[in-house]
Amino acid sequence: IWAELLGVERVGRHDNFFELGGHSLLAVQLLGRTLAIGLKFSAADLFQAPILKELASKIHFQRRPSVPEVISVQATGSQPPLFFVPTGSGDCSYVLSLMEEMDVDCPIYALPWPPFKEVCPPTLEGIAAEVILAIRESQPRGPYRFAGYSSGAILAYAIAQHLLSLDETVSFIALIDVALPANPSSISPTQMVREVLLNSFESLDDERFEVLELFAGQSSIAQLLEKAQQIGAMPLDRDLHNDVMMYEKTVQFQRALDLYKVPSLPVEIHQFYANGPLLSRRARPRRNSMSPEASSPMRGWDRVLSEAAIHTIPVPGDHMTMMDVPENRRVLARQLSTALNRSLTTKASNRFR
């Protein structure tokens, strides 16, 4: 698995995962691939023992799960677990970097997207119901605690909705910079994902970026990726199959988001909002940064919840740099840890009143 993920012919027992080119996204893929064949370890194990021989001693064998299993990021703790939801592109690699800066005494898990064929056509309620099967493998009963970044945080809210309908307790919800638009989007899910893909190439020189920008308006996602590969924006030997599949699932998830009617729930949320404007490198504002909801600390959630139920916490940076820049991510991690620990203290004091 290491050889395939890292693109090397041979891996020795004394090799270091990160020195061979490993990073957070590959670490998440490694955890997912090993779980699928019954080998279990946490992301913390990988960071503490990145040498293959040392990591092997930390692996536990288990039966292959019947449902997609949560990824263990931090395996132990005395408090209820915290479940992180993947972003709107199915990526939960952000959790690994965030976990390193957090100060919490609880297990931390990253949730997988279910196979969308199980909930076809996918709705957010259907996706939430499938994900809950994986959650309950790790924590059969509440109180449950969730956090999500970007549009994936709305899935965290849908999961809470489903658990509350089952008479479970949801004691903590952290939404990391996710706006709740007042009106349906005027562009299709495919167009939105195509724009996200185009924005990922903004580090290109102007000439090549303009080629992609012109091509994007008349191409499918697969064709846009192939064009990016042809002009040198992506390695020629890269297999685009997984990229195409990921973006196609992102379109399906975005379609489910568009159909979701966000209800008012008897919960409190913590909105960690980026306090800087989101501009592209070419100084053109992105679509979701132009709406009133995107500039409000409450990000539009005051339309479904009372202001008293929304705790807003500013984080330096914009939507991307609040997570990508280490200094900003450190602030986010500490603020998230404080809110999580404070929620336990508050509930404990309420019980003794």
Side-chain angles (χ1 to χ4, degrees), residues 77-96:
S78 63
Q79 299 168 1
L82 176 63
F83 293 93
F84 278 94
V85 179
T87 67
S89 60
D91 177 25
C92 53
S93 62
Y94 75 92
V95 183
L96 275 61

Side-chain angles (χ1 to χ4, degrees), residues 188-195 197-198 201 210-228 230 247-248 251:
S188 71
T190 301
Q191 288 174 301
M192 187 174 294
V193 172
R194 192 187 293 121
E195 187 170 299
L197 173 55
L198 186 62
F201 292 116
E210 286 172 10
V211 169
L212 286 181
E213 193 169 31
L214 288 171
F215 189 77
Q218 56 192 5
S219 68
S220 68
I221 289 169
Q223 290 169 335
L224 183 56
L225 285 166
E226 289 169 3
K227 187 68 172 179
Q230 289 169 10
Y247 281 110
E248 286 180 351
V251 170

Side-chain angles (χ1 to χ4, degrees), residues 312-326:
T312 57
I313 305 101
V315 178
D318 62 28
H319 183 72
M320 302 300 294
T321 61
M322 71 185 298
M323 194 68 76
D324 292 344
V325 174

Side-chain angles (χ1 to χ4, degrees), residues 148-216:
Y149 173 41
S150 194
S151 59
I154 302 177
L155 176 57
Y157 193 82
I159 292 170
Q161 175 190 357
H162 194 92
L163 286 168
L164 290 171
S165 73
L166 300 174
D167 292 325
E168 289 287 2
T169 302
V170 177
S171 60
F172 184 82
I173 304 176
L175 308 181
I176 304 174
D177 204 53
V178 57
L180 201 59
N183 302 305
S185 175
S186 60
I187 64 174
S188 71
T190 301
Q191 288 174 301
M192 187 174 294
V193 172
R194 192 187 293 121
E195 187 170 299
V196 169
L197 173 55
L198 186 62
N199 283 329
S200 71
F201 292 116
E202 284 188 340
S203 59
L204 286 175
D205 57 83
D206 289 345
E207 183 179 349
R208 288 189 296 172
F209 184 82
E210 286 172 10
V211 169
L212 286 181
E213 193 169 31
L214 288 171
F215 189 77

Side-chain angles (χ1 to χ4, degrees), residues 16-281:
N16 184 304
F17 181 79
F18 298 104
E19 290 177 2
L20 287 178
H23 48 73
S24 294
L25 183 57
L26 288 177
V28 168
Q29 293 177 19
L30 173 65
L31 288 160
R33 295 266 299 265
T34 51
L35 272 176
I37 59 172
L39 306 179
K40 188 171 185 179
F41 58 94
S42 71
D45 291 332
L46 178 60
F47 281 112
Q48 292 163 10
I51 294 172
L52 183 58
K53 179 181 178 182
E54 296 173 1
L55 181 64
S57 67
K58 297 180 177 291
I59 289 176
H60 303 283
F61 294 88
Q62 61 178 25
R63 63 178 178 82
R64 292 180 66 171
S66 56
V67 296
E69 192 165 357
V70 300
I71 294 172
S72 175
V73 179
Q74 178 170 291
T76 59
S78 63
Q79 299 168 1
L82 176 63
F83 293 93
F84 278 94
V85 179
T87 67
S89 60
D91 177 25
C92 53
S93 62
Y94 75 92
V95 183
L96 275 61
S97 301
L98 201 57
M99 175 272 296
E100 291 187 85
E101 303 289 351
M102 291 182 66
D103 181 21
V104 290
D105 181 23
C106 68
I108 296 176
Y109 298 113
L111 297 174
W113 266 358
F116 282 1
K117 64 179 184 294
E118 303 294 335
V119 285
C120 188
T123 63
L124 217 62
E125 295 90 342
I127 295 170
E130 286 291 319
V131 170
I132 285 170
L133 297 177
I135 291 170
R136 285 187 145 168
E137 288 281 321
S138 299
Q139 186 187 358
R141 304 289 299 176
Y144 290 102
R145 309 195 294 177
F146 298 99
Y149 173 41
S150 194
S151 59
I154 302 177
L155 176 57
Y157 193 82
I159 292 170
Q161 175 190 357
H162 194 92
L163 286 168
L164 290 171
S165 73
L166 300 174
D167 292 325
E168 289 287 2
T169 302
V170 177
S171 60
F172 184 82
I173 304 176
L175 308 181
I176 304 174
D177 204 53
V178 57
L180 201 59
N183 302 305
S185 175
S186 60
I187 64 174
S188 71
T190 301
Q191 288 174 301
M192 187 174 294
V193 172
R194 192 187 293 121
E195 187 170 299
V196 169
L197 173 55
L198 186 62
N199 283 329
S200 71
F201 292 116
E202 284 188 340
S203 59
L204 286 175
D205 57 83
D206 289 345
E207 183 179 349
R208 288 189 296 172
F209 184 82
E210 286 172 10
V211 169
L212 286 181
E213 193 169 31
L214 288 171
F215 189 77
Q218 56 192 5
S219 68
S220 68
I221 289 169
Q223 290 169 335
L224 183 56
L225 285 166
E226 289 169 3
K227 187 68 172 179
Q229 196 171 49
Q230 289 169 10
I231 66 171
M234 301 174 72
L236 282 172
D237 60 351
R238 178 165 173 169
D239 184 355
L240 297 181
H241 176 73
N242 288 336
D243 296 272
V244 172
M245 292 290 290
M246 185 270 286
Y247 281 110
E248 286 180 351
K249 287 186 74 172
T250 302
V251 170
Q252 290 182 287
F253 183 77
Q254 187 60 50
R255 190 170 290 122
L257 277 181
D258 287 350
L259 295 172
Y260 181 55
K261 306 297 183 187
V262 182
S264 177
L265 299 179
V267 296
E268 294 183 3
I269 64 171
H270 292 76
Q271 175 70 268
F272 297 85
Y273 69 95
N275 61 9
L278 178 57
L279 296 175
S280 75
R281 184 174 67 87

